[in-house]
Amino acid sequence: MTAAPTLQMAAPRRGKPPRHFADMTTDERVQAVRDAGHDAFRARQLATHYFTHLTADADDMTDLPASSRDALVAGLFPPLLSPSFEIATDDGETVKTLWSLHDGVKVESVLMGYPDRATLCVTSQAGCGMACPFCATGQMGLTRNLSAAEIFEQARLAARACRDGALGGAPRRLSNVVFMGMGEPLANYNAVLTAVRMLIAPEPDGLGLAARHVTVSTVGLVPAIDRLAGEGLQVTLALSLHAPDDELRSELVPINTQWSVDEALDAAKRYFDATGRRVSIEYALIRAVNDQAWRADLLGEKLAKRGRAWVHVNPIPLNPTPGSKWTATKPAVEREFVRRLTEHAIPATIRDTRGSDIDGACGQLAIKESL
Ligand code: SAH
């Protein structure tokens, strides 16, 4: 029997990326440096180059012995991400990059400059297994998890781009990272946590971001939320709720059939109790689907009955994805939705939709075949 050629056969080989400095613990870095015939203290020098000077280029590392520098760096810093496409909008203040991974798999990240901060939206998985029908990435299915270094490299390269004036000229510091790119971060828990720890570790062991400026966004994988709550980190949790009732949420966020609205909200509240960090509730407003006044009231009630000042709602007008039957809520309905939440003493701010014209806004990250 001859197998018919399939798209699958033509697809690039998908596999584990090579082990990188950013995948290693401090001890493993020392060991790797020793294995390469160098003194242990070189590990610290490499960390300073990588995390503080944001370079993985041997030519920049002039304090390492010239004769063996290239080999050492090549072994520890295999290139994991190469840019294959970049597009800017919002006067150069939003930049989307399409990265090619070592196996040809493509992922995207989006860098956004604001007057007071620079935020990177990172990808944690190639594709996503959560299948939310309004999300472009959700339609792709899951290709594979990213390694910790593949996730962290997005931030290292963005931090370098910020420093070098990529956002409208003036040098800036990358200040915020949100796990709102492709993938479900809590379904790739270990790699995401390793990356988070490098984002917040002080230099020269990490980028030194404030933990509260790192946001992990989830569909509501309850056991993983509880695990995250126990890590002793001050990172911000965002819960993608999108409906206050199980009937509709099970359609919009299919994992709801496993962990219900109430179970997800209870876990979010436990996260607040453990960390003191106010949780964000994400709510994509979809016209005549989840934007009714009664749903705003039900959401307000469910949040208010769990406590005071523990939560904040981020409604975002839906970014319609190609072929979707859904569209964004009208501004007046959106305002009424927010007003009703406020009546329940639940703070709510409409989230901006940066980059929607370059398919760089929330839920639009999917790889176009033409790229
Ligand atoms: N898997 C994580 C991260 C996904 S992206 C999660 O679901 O939280 C971050 C946010 O964008 C999520 O709240 C997601 O539901 C939302 N989103 C997805 N598609 C969208 C769309 N088309 N319009 C607006 N928001 C969308």
Side-chain angles (χ1 to χ4, degrees):
M1 207 173 85
T2 21
T6 63
L7 263 182
Q8 197 59 39
M9 291 171 72
R13 208 169 47 82
R14 284 154 188 174
K16 227 178 144 146
R19 190 163 178 246
H20 184 280
F21 194 75
D23 292 311
M24 301 176 195
T25 63
T26 309
D27 288 348
E28 287 167 347
R29 288 173 193 159
V30 168
Q31 193 56 50
V33 163
R34 284 216 178 99
D35 291 348
H38 291 263
D39 289 335
F41 75 92
R42 299 290 181 198
R44 183 103 179 146
Q45 281 182 322
L46 289 169
T48 304
H49 283 299
Y50 183 66
F51 293 110
T52 305
H53 305 145
L54 308 172
T55 184
D57 183 345
D59 292 342
D60 295 332
M61 305 187 185
T62 50
D63 53 354
L64 296 173
S67 55
S68 50
R69 192 156 70 207
D70 287 351
L72 179 64
V73 172
L76 289 179
F77 297 91
L80 297 178
L81 263 58
S82 57
S84 56
F85 185 76
E86 198 167 271
I87 181 167
T89 186
D90 299 325
D91 280 335
E93 292 284 336
T94 303
V95 181
K96 180 173 83 166
T97 309
L98 176 72
W99 302 103
S100 186
L101 306 182
H102 81 103
D103 50 359
V105 169
K106 304 275 198 294
V107 298
E108 295 177 339
S109 60
V110 184
L111 180 59
M112 293 159 283
Y114 300 87
D116 58 338
R117 63 189 195 280
T119 299
L120 179 72
C121 181
V122 289
T123 283
S124 57
Q125 300 183 306
C128 185
M130 297 298 128
C132 303
F134 58 93
C135 173
T137 313
Q139 308 318 297
M140 302 169 63
L142 178 64
T143 301
R144 70 166 171 87
N145 279 335
L146 265 56
S147 66
E150 285 174 322
I151 298 168
F152 182 76
E153 274 284 89
Q154 297 169 56
R156 199 259 310 176
L157 291 165
R160 195 176 68 177
C162 283
R163 181 198 65 191
D164 296 346
L167 288 175
R172 254 182 276 190
R173 245 186 113 78
L174 178 69
S175 56
N176 297 58
V177 170
V178 296
F179 283 79
M180 294 187 184
M182 306 167 89
E184 166 52 39
L186 294 188
N188 184 15
Y189 191 91
N190 290 339
V192 164
L193 256 282
T194 302
V196 166
R197 289 185 194 283
M198 288 185 284
L199 293 173
I200 64 180
E203 293 171 7
D205 297 313
L207 293 185
L209 265 59
R212 62 185 188 284
H213 290 167
V214 174
T215 300
V216 174
S217 179
T218 178
V219 288
L221 306 184
V222 166
I225 293 174
D226 285 328
R227 193 172 162 198
L228 186 65
E231 300 281 355
L233 302 173
Q234 286 287 295
V235 302
T236 301
L237 179 75
L239 172 65
S240 298
L241 199 68
H242 305 311
D245 54 304
D246 286 320
E247 195 184 345
L248 179 57
R249 189 166 191 264
S250 294
E251 187 188 341
L252 298 179
V253 184
I255 200 73
N256 192 70
T257 55
Q258 200 157 340
W259 293 288
S260 66
V261 170
D262 284 327
E263 287 168 329
L265 289 178
D266 287 343
K269 178 59 168 39
R270 288 194 295 275
Y271 188 85
F272 169 79
D273 291 338
T275 63
R277 294 292 306 145
R278 197 182 275 207
V279 173
S280 287
I281 300 290
E282 290 160 284
Y283 201 105
L285 283 166
I286 313 176
R287 190 180 300 182
V289 172
N290 66 353
D291 61 357
Q292 303 83 354
W294 72 266
R295 283 203 159 93
D297 287 336
L298 182 59
L299 176 61
E301 278 160 30
K302 287 200 168 189
L303 297 178
K305 82 166 191 212
R306 287 178 165 81
R308 287 180 58 81
W310 73 278
V311 75
H312 178 270
V313 179
N314 258 166
I316 175 172
L318 182 81
N319 293 302
T321 56
S324 168
K325 57 183 176 187
W326 290 315
T327 182
T329 294
K330 291 188 175 131
V333 177
E334 191 178 293
R335 282 194 297 275
E336 176 62 9
F337 198 91
V338 168
R339 195 189 64 76
R340 288 191 178 241
L341 288 172
T342 316
E343 270 187 355
H344 289 87
I346 300 298
T349 29
I350 303 277
R351 202 165 71 198
D352 76 350
T353 57
R354 275 287 187 97
S356 52
D357 53 334
I358 55 167
D359 290 345
C362 266
Q364 294 189 313
L365 300 185
I367 306 310
K368 293 221 171 116
E369 292 195 9
S370 57
L371 290 178

